[in-house]
């Protein structure tokens, strides 16, 4: 096989057995890899009704055929499992260097099943795979775990691990690789913790076979040219990282503020990418094979928020900043560092705190219950709340369940800004209608990286469309969702699509794999992945009735700014979306569609 390594590694943690299986070439072509192939294997092997934290749930690491190649930003992998936060299927994406190393060790997919009787970590050294005791590592932070394993095995190994949040089954715990790269959403770290699996370390010495090297070089040259011509990938992201969006989104009036009560934040300048670059930035950082380098390395040199590490990026700056009513850049950056150490999803963490802050200010939850004066703008209380969540101490035990369960406990679920129990990212859909439809229909709950409509609605890429209208948005969302499925399955970074289109991705896949895709067939793979995920969710009990938004977004107009007076016109968009998907008017996947896609 070209592009694929042709092998699946299966590790049964209960029985402590290791087996290597041959990758089915038909499945590889039909689902490409990473999110697609991982999802297909998961759906074939796991009952949808499984308890996400039970040993019957499985955890799958999956790379794509472009992972580990010279393809632009070909450095991604997906973690597929059933989410403890949402009860839906989870496919959490991460970059860095670990994904390529896993590929070089000879594996497209690693399946973890069962549960170890004690804390363990896995050592993958090409075809040598061992299960080792992690009892001395249990309880350690991500950084300390990484340091100890590097001291024992050397710097040639790449490491993915969980921190205390994963061990304590925080429902939005991450898996962190290369210290500060995160498979960040949906609680995949909690599933890893439920299996007593502390870390996976890997070293590989094999290369990835390419079908047509000459064509690949030509396609790659063309793609790199487009990356260099794009103002986003060659200027905005390298200069300011994803935080370049803070001022842009604020100017458009859809920067969610104080738990989505407003769409613009008076302190946006103080927490912007420009402020980060001026005050705290040490250097840029890139994943393997990435010409963009959007990562930030930052330093808070002294004071109560002293720290050093990677980040923060846009979503983190927003979640701990405007959404919590905080303009203290050092406190926000400190929270980012703490989340990296403990292994916490910064989006859900920050928005859960924002939910608690509004409930506190409305008198729904008291200081005695919180142990903190958790009001909007209180940076010290926010930082303390993050620490408590990772260890499930005090109020942290409730915050660790996410905003939906927090608000539901007090009979006010409407304060949770989430869909399917996963919190929204940093775009108020009342000022970006397409994002509203994406949030509602996303198979893993509130999410922006399953169909990033901010690109055309706000950035004008690939073309500018009116963010405040609902017309045509269903078609845009479907196309973006299907294309994103392909991108995630291929093993390249979604940020490349600011410069590259479906045709470019098709050419990369064809040059590397040589399987004979047409572009239309490639897009069918994205549609196949989307429909398979939805079918799993339906059988898991998360049906079309969950294609909805938080009450605030459809009933409470934005009070000011460019989108003043707007709510999300979800009902009309949803009707058109179901029709374009070829589903029933109620949102069920038709048998004809299942047959058409060969699911």
């Amino acid at each position: 096989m070209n592009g694929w390594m042709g092998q699946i590694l299966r590790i049964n943690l209960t029985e402590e057995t290791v087996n290597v299986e041959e990758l089915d070439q038909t499945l590889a072509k039909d689902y490409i890899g990473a999110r697609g192939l991982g999802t297909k294997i998961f759906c074939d092997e796991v009952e949808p009704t499984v308890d996400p934290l039970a040993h019957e749930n499985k955890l799958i690491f999956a790379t794509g055929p472009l992972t580990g190649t010279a393809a632009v930003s070909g450095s991604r992998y997906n973690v597929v499992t059933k989410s403890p936060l949402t009860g839906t299927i989870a496919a959490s994406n991460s970059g860095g260097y670990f994904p390529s190393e896993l590929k070089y060790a000879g594996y497209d997919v690693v399946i973890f099943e069962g549960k170890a009787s004690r804390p363990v970590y896995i050592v993958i050294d090409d075809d040598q795979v061992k299960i080792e005791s992690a009892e001395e590592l249990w309880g350690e932070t991500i950084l300390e775990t990484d340091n100890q394993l590097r001291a024992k095995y050397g710097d040639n190994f790449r490491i993915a691990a969980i921190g205390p949040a994963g061990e304590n089954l925080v429902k939005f715990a991450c898996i962190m690789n290369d210290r500060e790269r995160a498979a960040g959403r949906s609680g995949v770290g909690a599933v890893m913790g439920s299996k007593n699996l502390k870390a996976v370390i890997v070293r590989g010495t094999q290369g990835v076979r390419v079908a047509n090297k000459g064509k690949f070089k030509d396609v790659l040259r063309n793609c790199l040219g487009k990356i260099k011509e794009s103002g986003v990938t060659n200027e905005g992201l390298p200069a300011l990282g994803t935080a370049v969006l803070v001022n842009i989104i604020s100017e458009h009036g859809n920067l969610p503020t104080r738990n989505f009560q407003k769409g613009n934040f008076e302190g946006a300048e103080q927490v912007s990418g420009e402020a980060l670059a001026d005050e705290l930035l040490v250097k840029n950082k890139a994943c393997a094979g990435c010409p963009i380098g959007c990562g930030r390395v930052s330093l808070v040199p002294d004071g109560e928020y002293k720290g050093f590490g990677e980040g923060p990026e846009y979503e983190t700056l927003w979640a701990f900043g405007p959404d919590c009513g905080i303009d203290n850049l050092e406190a926000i950056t400190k929270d980012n560092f703490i989340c990296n150490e403990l292994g916490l999803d910064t989006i859900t963490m920050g928005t859960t705190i924002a939910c608690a802050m509004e409930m506190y200010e409305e008198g729904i939850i008291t200081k005695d219950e919180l142990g903190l004066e958790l009001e909007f703008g209180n940076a010290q209380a926010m930082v303390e709340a993050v620490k408590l969540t990772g260890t499930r101490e005090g109020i942290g035990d409730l915050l660790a369940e996410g905003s939906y369960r927090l608000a539901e406990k007090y009979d006010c679920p409407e304060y949770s800004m989430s869909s399917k129990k996963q919190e929204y990212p940093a775009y108020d859909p009342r000022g970006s209608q397409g994002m509203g439809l994406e949030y509602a229909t996303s198979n893993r709950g509130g999410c922006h990286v399953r169909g990033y409509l901010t690109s055309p609605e706000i950035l004008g890429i690939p073309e500018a469309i009116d963010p405040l209208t609902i017309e045509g948005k269903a078609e845009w969302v479907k196309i973006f969702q299907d294309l994103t499925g392909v991108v995630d399955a291929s093993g390249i970074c979604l940020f490349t699509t600011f410069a590259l289109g479906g045709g470019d991705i098709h050419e990369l896949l064809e040059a590397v794999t040589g399987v004979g895709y047409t572009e239309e067939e490639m897009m069918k793979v994205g549609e196949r992945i989307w429909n398979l995920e939805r079918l799993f969710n339906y059988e898991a009990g998360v049906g079309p009735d969950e294609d909805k938004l938080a009450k605030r977004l459809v009933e409470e107009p934005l009070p000011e700014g460019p989108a003043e007076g707007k709510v999300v016109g979800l009902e009309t968009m949803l009707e058109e979306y179901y029709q374009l998907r070829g589903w029933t008017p109620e949102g069920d996947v038709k048998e004809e569609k299942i047959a058409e896609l060969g699911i």
Side-chain angles (χ1 to χ4, degrees):
M1 301 179 75
N2 297 301
W4 298 280
M5 306 307 286
Q7 294 191 127
I8 296 172
L9 179 63
R10 186 181 297 272
I11 301 174
N12 189 302
L13 296 166
T14 303
E15 299 175 1
E16 297 198 0
T17 57
V18 176
N19 290 290
V20 177
E21 303 167 6
E22 186 177 339
L23 176 63
D24 185 311
Q25 294 188 36
T26 301
L27 283 187
K29 182 178 180 180
D30 288 348
Y31 290 91
I32 299 179
R35 176 179 160 199
L37 192 56
T39 296
K40 174 58 175 172
I41 293 171
F42 183 80
C43 290
D44 283 350
E45 297 191 4
V46 178
E47 286 292 329
T49 54
V50 70
D51 181 337
L53 299 179
H55 72 273
E56 292 88 356
N57 193 14
K58 297 187 181 185
L59 184 73
I60 297 177
F61 288 8
T63 62
L66 300 184
T67 306
T69 70
V72 178
S73 301
S75 59
R76 314 296 293 189
Y77 85 121
N78 271 245
V79 179
V80 180
T81 189
K82 185 177 180 182
S83 166
L85 181 69
T86 65
T88 67
I89 194 164
S92 192
N93 193 314
S94 183
Y97 289 81
F98 175 86
S100 297
E101 201 71 28
L102 186 59
K103 191 87 170 284
Y104 299 152
Y107 308 106
D108 299 295
V109 178
V110 183
I111 303 170
F112 300 100
E113 51 192 20
K115 177 179 180 178
S117 61
R118 68 195 191 288
V120 299
Y121 64 90
I122 308 298
V123 182
I124 302 173
D125 193 353
D126 282 331
D127 60 354
Q128 301 298 308
V129 181
K130 298 179 180 178
I131 302 173
E132 302 284 1
S133 172
E135 290 176 297
E136 292 185 359
L137 295 172
W138 205 252
E140 298 288 1
T141 64
I142 298 294
L143 180 60
E144 187 54 38
T145 298
D146 194 277
N147 286 341
Q148 290 190 37
L149 289 172
R150 285 182 181 278
K152 184 173 182 178
Y153 292 95
D155 290 336
N156 290 330
F157 280 84
R158 297 293 177 178
I159 301 167
I162 58 170
E167 297 171 6
N168 290 311
L169 308 183
V170 174
K171 284 190 168 60
F172 47 92
C174 304
I175 298 173
M176 307 292 294
N177 61 270
D178 301 295
R179 297 192 184 208
E180 293 166 314
R181 295 284 84 207
R185 305 223 69 193
S186 304
V188 295
V191 176
M192 191 161 162
S194 74
K195 295 187 174 301
N196 277 334
L197 179 58
K198 178 66 174 177
V200 179
I201 76 169
V202 60
R203 177 174 62 181
T205 60
Q206 303 176 50
V208 181
R209 293 176 296 276
V210 173
N212 190 328
K213 293 181 180 179
K215 180 180 179 180
F216 184 47
K217 288 181 181 178
D218 291 341
V219 174
L220 184 57
R221 188 180 302 114
N222 181 55
C223 289
L224 286 171
K226 291 182 177 181
I227 294 290
K228 291 178 181 178
E229 291 170 3
S230 165
V232 175
T233 55
N234 193 48
E235 298 173 17
L237 288 174
L240 299 175
T242 58
V244 67
L245 288 170
V246 173
N247 283 330
I248 295 173
I249 300 299
S250 184
E251 288 166 6
H252 279 80
N254 66 317
L255 183 68
T257 298
R258 295 178 179 85
N259 203 33
F260 285 73
Q261 294 184 67
K262 294 172 54 182
N264 64 300
F265 181 52
E266 63 278 6
E269 283 283 353
Q270 290 97 296
V271 299
S272 65
E274 290 83 351
L276 180 66
D278 288 343
E279 299 173 27
L280 304 178
L281 183 66
V282 175
K283 62 179 181 179
N284 292 12
K285 187 175 181 180
C287 297
C290 179
I292 300 171
C294 71
R296 312 285 94 179
V297 177
S298 304
L299 170 68
V300 179
D302 49 41
E304 62 180 315
Y305 303 125
K306 180 179 180 180
F308 174 77
E310 188 173 340
E313 49 81 53
Y314 171 60
E315 306 293 338
T316 306
L317 281 166
W318 161 77
F320 293 122
D323 205 37
C324 289
I326 289 170
D327 60 11
N328 186 321
L329 184 60
E330 292 189 351
I332 294 167
T333 304
K334 181 64 174 180
D335 266 352
N336 183 98
F337 296 156
I338 295 170
C339 285
N340 286 350
E341 287 278 301
L342 298 177
L344 288 164
D345 170 21
T346 59
I347 297 176
T348 290
M349 183 74 264
T351 51
T352 298
I353 292 173
C355 175
M357 285 177 165
E358 185 174 4
M359 290 168 61
Y360 175 78
E361 293 202 346
E362 292 294 322
I364 296 168
I365 188 169
T366 68
K367 182 179 179 181
D368 288 341
E369 293 171 287
L370 289 169
L372 298 168
E373 199 165 340
L374 207 58
E375 58 190 354
F376 287 119
N378 190 332
Q380 289 181 321
M382 177 184 69
V383 172
E384 185 61 25
V386 175
K387 295 176 183 176
L388 292 171
T389 301
T391 55
R392 278 191 177 268
E393 297 178 72
I395 190 60
D397 190 43
L398 186 52
L399 296 177
E401 297 293 300
S403 68
Y404 185 86
R405 291 173 179 83
L406 168 69
E408 186 180 47
K409 178 180 173 65
Y410 290 88
D411 297 319
C412 55
E414 66 274 12
Y415 284 86
S416 170
M417 298 297 108
S418 62
S419 286
K420 301 181 179 75
K421 298 185 177 66
Q422 179 157 274
E423 289 74 10
Y424 302 132
Y427 314 88
D428 192 312
R430 289 170 291 187
S432 183
Q433 296 284 317
M435 285 303 292
L437 180 59
E438 159 54 18
Y439 289 168
T441 58
S442 171
N443 287 327
R444 70 169 187 175
C447 178
H448 60 301
V449 290
R450 285 291 185 269
Y452 191 62
L453 262 289
T454 293
S455 188
E457 287 188 315
I458 304 299
L459 302 178
I461 300 171
E463 64 181 81
I465 59 176
D466 184 353
L468 301 182
T469 183
I470 63 173
E471 294 179 7
K473 294 300 171 66
E475 184 176 9
W476 276 96
V477 168
K478 180 189 181 298
I479 292 171
F480 268 54
Q481 288 174 339
D482 291 349
L483 180 60
T484 299
V486 171
V487 172
D488 288 347
S490 73
I492 63 173
C493 178
L494 184 61
F495 287 177
T496 61
T497 59
F498 288 125
L500 307 182
D504 300 302
I505 297 164
H506 169 252
E507 289 189 340
L508 285 169
L509 281 170
E510 181 58 24
V512 170
T513 67
V515 298
Y517 285 118
T518 65
E519 188 173 343
E520 183 181 1
E521 287 171 336
M522 180 194 75
M523 289 298 289
K524 276 290 183 185
V525 175
E527 186 180 7
R528 184 176 296 121
I529 294 167
W530 193 265
N531 280 267
L532 180 60
E533 290 173 337
R534 187 170 180 91
L535 287 168
F536 178 92
N537 286 350
Y538 192 84
E539 293 180 18
V542 183
D545 58 325
E546 291 298 323
D547 292 343
K548 59 185 180 181
L549 294 169
K551 184 178 179 181
R552 171 166 291 163
L553 302 182
V554 294
E555 295 186 6
E556 297 179 23
L558 276 171
E560 59 189 34
E564 181 180 354
K566 285 288 185 178
V567 295
V568 181
L570 179 62
E571 188 174 342
T572 301
M573 290 191 291
L574 201 57
E575 181 180 351
E576 183 181 357
Y577 175 82
Y578 287 164
Q579 185 176 15
L580 288 168
R581 278 279 177 210
W583 298 342
T584 69
E586 295 74 34
D588 294 317
V589 182
K590 293 180 180 179
E591 290 297 328
E592 295 92 330
K593 177 59 68 174
I594 294 172
E596 173 196 329
L597 297 172
I599 294 175

